[in-house]
Amino acid sequence: DSGVTQTPKHLITATGQRVTLRCSPRSGDLSVYWYQQSLDQGLQFLIQYYNGEERAKGNILERFSAQQFPDLHSELNLSSLELGDSALYFCASSAPGSEKLFFGSGTQLSVL
Amino acid sequence: DQQVKQNSPSLSVQEGRISILNCDYTNSMFDYFLWYKKYPAEGPTFLISISSIKDKNEDGRFTVFLNKSAKHLSLHIVPSQPGDSAVYFCAASSTGGEKLTFGTGTRLTIIP
């Protein structure tokens, strides 16, 4: 158990809909990262938050947004969903100054 | 632009033999490298890392080698065990940047 909690584990929705993925980092970790893993693809970095502030942005679509709340949990919002958004979405957290990420078990999103 | 590349999507190795997984990178700013292991339905878990000031790091059956001039690293697993069957991701980061850039992964299968 990495200590990072992601909910829900599975999500099935239709095109055009909006969903919210939730992540609780390990106790004491201030950074939260979101990664997307599509079929046969590596882990694509989406966005990083540090103590409530956006720290780095990767290949995140404009239809996607994220935030980190004062209790340090994070949410990834995906809107106007398309078939191609079907993927495994991972959240990870890290301690301050550490490059070692601890990953949650992911949310499998299926857009039908 | 894939800055971290794992050119072998899959690898099969006999139990007890050595498994060698390879990774190449293009960004000369990368100075910290990690290997993650991923089982189905789980998030990636940290395996071993190496800083660019070293060319080798060992942890039990796992050794990572770094060749900075060739921008190449490899993970050696000796002896390979059935429980090592998983997808292995190579990742890299640069000083001051906490986010990791991942390769596409290599699926290792250990044959009993």
Side-chain angles (χ1 to χ4, degrees):
Chain A
D1 182 10
S2 67
V4 178
T5 304
Q6 284 189 251
T7 56
K9 287 194 182 305
H10 302 277
L11 202 46
I12 301 174
T13 188
T15 54
Q17 295 298 304
R18 172 190 167 96
V19 297
T20 298
L21 313 184
R22 183 188 167 99
C23 169
S24 293
R26 291 187 322 154
S27 176
D29 286 355
L30 301 181
S31 280
V32 169
Y33 308 75
W34 287 96
Y35 282 83
Q36 178 193 56
Q37 184 184 16
S38 302
L39 203 60
D40 294 331
Q41 296 291 312
L43 293 150
Q44 300 293 320
F45 171 70
L46 296 178
I47 198 164
Q48 177 200 0
Y49 278 82
Y50 179 85
N51 203 22
E53 300 289 327
E54 183 183 302
R55 174 69 70 95
K57 215 167 186 175
N59 300 322
I60 187 166
L61 300 172
E62 285 191 14
R63 300 183 285 108
F64 296 1
S65 65
Q67 54 184 326
Q68 186 179 27
F69 295 86
D71 67 352
L72 302 178
H73 92 271
S74 177
E75 292 181 357
L76 178 67
N77 300 296
L78 315 176
S79 62
S80 303
L81 284 167
E82 302 176 359
L83 296 178
D85 297 328
S86 295
L88 201 47
Y89 291 85
F90 286 105
C91 167
S93 71
S94 68
S98 173
E99 293 98 338
K100 192 187 299 183
L101 303 189
F102 293 84
F103 283 83
S105 56
T107 294
Q108 179 68 59
L109 174 66
S110 299
V111 182
L112 305 177
Chain B
D1 175 32
Q2 193 72 28
Q3 297 186 62
V4 178
K5 301 178 186 179
Q6 293 177 257
N7 293 318
S8 298
S10 62
L11 176 68
S12 294
V13 174
Q14 206 77 32
E15 181 180 358
R17 307 293 289 268
I18 182 171
S19 294
I20 300 176
L21 295 93
N22 294 303
C23 177
D24 297 294
Y25 61 97
T26 58
N27 188 338
S28 57
M29 299 300 291
F30 287 148
D31 57 8
Y32 190 69
F33 305 89
L34 307 88
W35 285 93
Y36 278 79
K37 177 179 179 178
K38 184 182 179 306
Y39 292 118
E42 294 183 13
T45 55
F46 170 76
L47 193 56
I48 191 169
S49 63
I50 188 167
S51 162
S52 61
I53 62 173
K54 292 184 165 185
D55 54 18
K56 177 182 173 182
N57 188 29
E58 276 183 89
D59 184 3
R61 296 186 297 113
F62 303 92
T63 303
V64 56
F65 295 91
L66 175 62
N67 182 333
K68 290 184 289 291
S69 60
K71 292 191 176 68
H72 176 84
L73 64 156
S74 60
L75 174 68
H76 292 209
I77 307 173
V78 182
S80 300
Q81 299 174 355
D84 296 329
S85 294
V87 177
Y88 290 78
F89 290 98
C90 168
S93 70
S94 54
T95 300
E98 294 161 340
K99 77 173 181 73
L100 297 180
T101 300
F102 283 84
T104 51
T106 297
R107 182 178 302 279
L108 175 65
T109 302
I110 305 303
I111 304 164

